[in-house]
Amino acid sequence: MPTLGAIADDFTGATDLATMLVARGHRTVVAVGPDALSEQGGEAVRDADAVVVALKSRTAPVEDAVGTSLAALRALRRVGCRRFYFKYCSTFDSTPRGNIGPVTDALLAELGERRSVVVPSFPATGRTVREGSLFVHGELLERSPMRHHPLTPMRDSRLSSLLEPQTRHPVRLVGLDTVRLGAQALRAALDAPELADALVVVDAVTDEDLVTVCEASMHLPLVTGAAGLALGLTGPCAEAARAEPASRPGDPAVVLSGSASSATRAQVAHGRAHLPHLKLDPRSLRDDFAGTVDALVAFARRAWESTPGKPPLIYAVAELSDIEEPSSADGPAAPELVERALSACAADLVEAGARRLLVAGGETSGAVVTALGVRTLSIGAPISPGVTWARARGRGRTVDLALKSGNFGGTAIFTEAWSALA
Ligand code: ADP
């Protein structure tokens, strides 16, 4: 029976955290939404030590994000979980309204608790927190490419400034000097009466810092952070078994990229040099959605015939100038159109035989997984920090899926990820 329950605010985050938990020795199942967990009466997770519920709540309206997060918490409690982890992005992706603050507040209230830690640091992917400010590869978050994100542009780096407008709790900081005193001293600092109802941002710059934070916060029923915080969560096995691939080498494969992040733009440039490729245009989707999707699907199917072994790449953004401003068009906004189009392509291509899909973008991954009707994901072979293959089950089919957060992965990931599945 699982004891650790996690709620991830997007799908790439869920597989990212699950990968970390598997590596730390937890048999882990990712359930797609609270219903996937409830409908099987806990059967799918009976042999698991940890369950991660994947939500698409990062940019949902606040009430929806709070509602699905609470439903996830209740479903996790019903299958036996006693400790909880709210996983969000290591770049603290959120807007002034939420959803990190409101969801944390609601989870605490439901658990009858008053405080938690806030730990977005993830040094393996270049995210660190020092004096309460978030850095991305040594650069302040507000100066990083995250300032251009189409949905959650991050234009402040101080976690207190980002979180205060979102939460009813006071936001406090425990700095690196206290973390470096070790887990016992840090725990004493976290237990200080003046932090009794606070969300406490804890500095962490190295993996060792994260292990200390994790140890020091083990007594809290709820922790919040990126996947890095799980570094200190040792499970019952040395390393939990990974799922075997569902597909065989040579099975039809496709790359679907809806991310505009700088790492993905470099990956798209590399993919364009090495793979058959076709770009999605929001304007043509607005003019003729079905016709445009059909053309994309036909392109991919032709590529399977004409260039076997080279997965076709369907992408939305190559340059920053491709991003459509929200006010620039009548009709559906570009982010929604692109997500709908890529998820329609995914569903049609799986119908046509695709068994290996690499998806770039957190929101995009959420849309694709939902369109495919995936209910559970079992973590398979790792690709790079934060990116893994997963065996995805749903609608009586099993496919291999890699869900890549926009800023994760090396430049050649679209051509190289497949070898991990061989
Ligand atoms: P990341 O992981 O990089 O944040 P996401 O998939 O979460 O990627 O977010 C990227 C968002 O940008 C998606 O909602 C996607 O539909 C949207 N998008 C893609 N292409 C465009 C475009 N040309 N103009 C505006 N938004 C776009």
Side-chain angles (χ1 to χ4, degrees):
M1 188 195 281
T3 54
L4 178 68
I7 300 165
D9 72 349
D10 82 343
F11 287 56
T12 51
T15 54
D16 179 12
L17 175 60
T19 306
M20 180 70 89
L21 290 170
V22 167
R24 304 301 300 135
H26 300 262
R27 289 163 300 174
T28 307
V29 173
V30 178
V32 178
D35 295 347
L37 199 50
S38 310
E39 72 200 11
Q40 303 176 28
E43 193 55 31
V45 300
R46 208 184 36 207
D47 297 329
D49 310 303
V51 183
V52 183
V53 180
L55 300 179
K56 191 174 185 299
S57 57
R58 182 169 297 169
T59 57
V62 174
E63 305 68 40
D64 296 357
V66 166
T68 51
S69 303
L70 285 176
L73 177 62
R74 291 173 191 142
L76 287 166
R77 288 178 115 176
R78 276 198 296 276
V79 296
C81 296
R82 295 193 298 275
R83 228 187 138 234
F84 303 93
Y85 189 134
F86 173 34
K87 154 75 178 76
Y88 41 77
C89 188
S90 54
T91 43
F92 213 72
D93 299 12
S94 54
T95 69
R97 293 201 64 212
N99 290 328
I100 296 175
V103 169
T104 304
D105 289 3
L107 296 177
L108 282 174
E110 177 82 8
L111 290 167
E113 293 291 321
R114 290 164 58 206
R115 69 205 169 116
S116 189
V117 288
V118 177
V119 193
S121 175
F122 195 177
T125 57
R127 276 67 156 169
T128 54
V129 177
R130 194 186 275 272
E131 290 172 27
S133 285
L134 188 45
F135 292 82
V136 178
H137 295 294
E139 187 172 46
L140 278 171
L141 175 65
E142 71 205 58
R143 294 201 203 124
S144 79
M146 277 307 293
R147 69 187 183 280
H148 299 302
H149 195 280
L151 299 169
T152 50
M154 300 307 289
R155 298 191 176 139
D156 201 329
S157 311
R158 281 161 305 154
L159 287 158
S160 57
S161 315
L162 293 167
L163 191 53
E164 265 158 8
Q166 302 182 23
T167 175
R168 290 191 299 270
H169 292 263
V171 180
R172 300 284 179 262
L173 171 67
V174 171
L176 202 56
D177 46 349
T178 309
V179 175
R180 297 274 163 94
L181 293 174
Q184 224 177 342
L186 177 58
R187 182 168 172 161
L190 293 174
D191 286 346
E194 58 272 23
L195 301 186
D197 62 350
L199 300 186
V200 186
V201 174
V202 189
D203 277 356
V205 173
T206 63
D207 286 354
E208 292 71 33
D209 296 334
L210 282 174
V211 172
T212 305
V213 179
C214 191
E215 271 178 46
S217 54
M218 209 61 101
H219 61 309
L220 299 179
L222 175 72
V223 293
T224 84
L229 185 57
L231 261 175
L233 285 177
T234 308
C237 336
E239 181 166 356
R242 292 175 183 277
E244 291 295 315
S247 62
R248 287 187 305 249
D251 279 350
V254 65
V255 184
L256 300 168
S257 176
S259 164
S261 296
S262 64
T264 304
R265 281 184 273 117
Q267 292 154 1
V268 166
H270 184 269
R272 279 166 29 128
H274 295 91
L275 299 173
H277 54 92
L278 194 60
K279 187 173 173 190
L280 264 174
D281 178 3
R283 277 162 310 186
S284 85
L285 287 170
R286 217 169 266 120
D287 290 345
D288 175 11
F289 186 87
T292 307
V293 168
D294 285 349
L296 293 164
V297 170
F299 150 74
R301 298 184 68 165
R302 273 197 311 277
W304 290 341
E305 299 292 322
S306 58
T307 49
K310 290 195 174 201
L313 161 65
I314 298 175
Y315 66 98
V317 176
E319 317 279 343
L320 274 182
S321 56
D322 293 329
I323 300 175
E324 214 180 73
E325 288 301 320
S327 55
S328 69
D330 293 331
E336 182 207 327
L337 269 179
V338 170
E339 286 180 33
R340 270 175 42 210
L342 288 175
S343 44
C345 286
D348 288 357
L349 287 169
V350 167
E351 201 59 44
R355 291 294 174 266
R356 306 177 150 200
L357 294 89
L358 196 170
V359 186
E363 295 294 320
T364 309
S365 293
V368 166
V369 167
T370 307
L372 294 180
V374 173
R375 308 309 277 159
T376 58
L377 291 157
S378 307
I379 300 303
I383 300 171
S384 60
V387 195
T388 185
W389 284 108
R391 208 181 149 101
R393 289 188 195 79
R395 296 214 185 104
R397 264 209 204 94
T398 309
V399 299
D400 291 311
L401 265 186
L403 307 176
K404 187 192 84 68
S405 173
N407 270 319
F408 284 4
T411 304
I413 194 168
F414 292 169
T415 53
E416 291 179 353
W418 316 96
S419 62
L421 270 182

